[in-house]
Amino acid sequence: MRFRNALLLCSLAATVLIAGCSQTTSTAGSSSDGVKVATNQIFTGDYGAVEDHGYPLPAIPINRLDERFHRQIVDYATKERPGTIVVNTPNRFLYYVLPGGKAVRYGIGVGKAGFAWEGEAYIAWKQEWPTWHPPKEMAERKPEVAKYVEEGMGPGLSNPLGARALYLFNQEGRDTLFRLHGTPEWSSIGTAASSGCIRLMNQDIIDLYSRVRPGRNARVVVQQ
């Protein structure tokens, strides 16, 4: 597989699911490239406060975020098999492919200029409330995080990986150092702000985490 630019961890920022959705009717929406998309369900009501493994996740002011970045089930034509994750970097969407021409679509934050990447990987393992180990390259740029290179930053609301992390490995079985992870910085969704990793709102990464079974069949395709 190929990855462009530096292999860096995500920028420093700060399995109980909420059931239901705010709408169940099929509506027509648009992606940011102007293509009409049929929305089957939208989960705007799933961003309230929740306690997860003892950590109190605050509510997200979801109405301040463009509705297209709210978690939703959409019509999605693809040759990828169900269970595949497709990251559409330009439009800031992550799709979890479902059977029957559908997908769960999540709004994401992506790598800023100089940290963009594309290619294929698989999710080798996943972690609830992970420990964060920044790479040495980041510590050189940000000395304040150097102490976490070896000892790591423990889980918590200020941990840059958020409530969950999914770890991407290449086809040779090596860690790419890229992650799909949570973030408390909900306002960064829909932007290019990270150091290469793909970030989701914490309530969304909890939902995605529950759907993924790690292994080589947990394929991830990143599009630029």
Side-chain angles (χ1 to χ4, degrees), residues 134-217:
K136 292 180 180 179
E137 293 85 353
M138 179 177 285
E140 291 172 358
R141 293 183 291 110
K142 297 181 177 181
E144 66 273 17
V145 308
K147 62 182 179 180
Y148 300 121
V149 172
E150 297 297 333
E151 63 187 63
M153 177 187 286
L157 298 180
S158 61
N159 186 301
L161 297 182
R164 303 286 190 274
L166 307 175
Y167 296 80
L168 275 58
F169 282 49
N170 64 25
Q171 297 306 308
E172 288 71 47
R174 292 192 294 270
D175 189 352
T176 67
L177 301 183
F178 290 108
R179 316 286 185 239
L180 309 178
H181 68 87
T183 179
E185 296 185 337
W186 60 269
S187 60
S188 69
I189 301 304
T191 72
S194 80
S195 292
C197 292
I198 304 301
R199 57 174 64 174
L200 294 80
M201 289 177 280
N202 276 322
Q203 283 84 339
D204 281 348
I205 196 65
I206 290 173
D207 181 84
L208 178 62
Y209 181 98
S210 71
R211 300 175 186 273
V212 172
R213 295 187 61 184
R216 288 190 176 268
N217 288 331

Side-chain angles (χ1 to χ4, degrees), residues 1 6 33 35 59 67 95 103 106 129 133 139 156 170-171 185 192 203:
M1 64 178 294
D33 60 1
V35 177
E67 190 176 75
Y95 296 89
Y106 307 85
W129 292 100
H133 290 271
N170 64 25
Q171 297 306 308
E185 296 185 337
Q203 283 84 339

Side-chain angles (χ1 to χ4, degrees), residues 4-8 111-117 178 192 194-196:
R4 293 199 297 226
N5 299 313
L7 292 178
L8 298 176
K112 57 190 174 183
F115 294 96
W117 60 282
F178 290 108
S194 80
S195 292

Side-chain angles (χ1 to χ4, degrees), residues 96-120:
Y96 179 84
V97 179
L98 300 172
K102 309 290 183 183
V104 186
R105 192 180 77 185
Y106 307 85
I108 58 174
V110 301
K112 57 190 174 183
F115 294 96
W117 60 282
E118 68 177 337
E120 297 185 11

Side-chain angles (χ1 to χ4, degrees), residues 80-92:
E80 302 292 349
R81 63 185 178 186
T84 301
I85 291 172
V86 179
V87 178
N88 185 315
T89 301
N91 290 331
R92 314 293 196 255

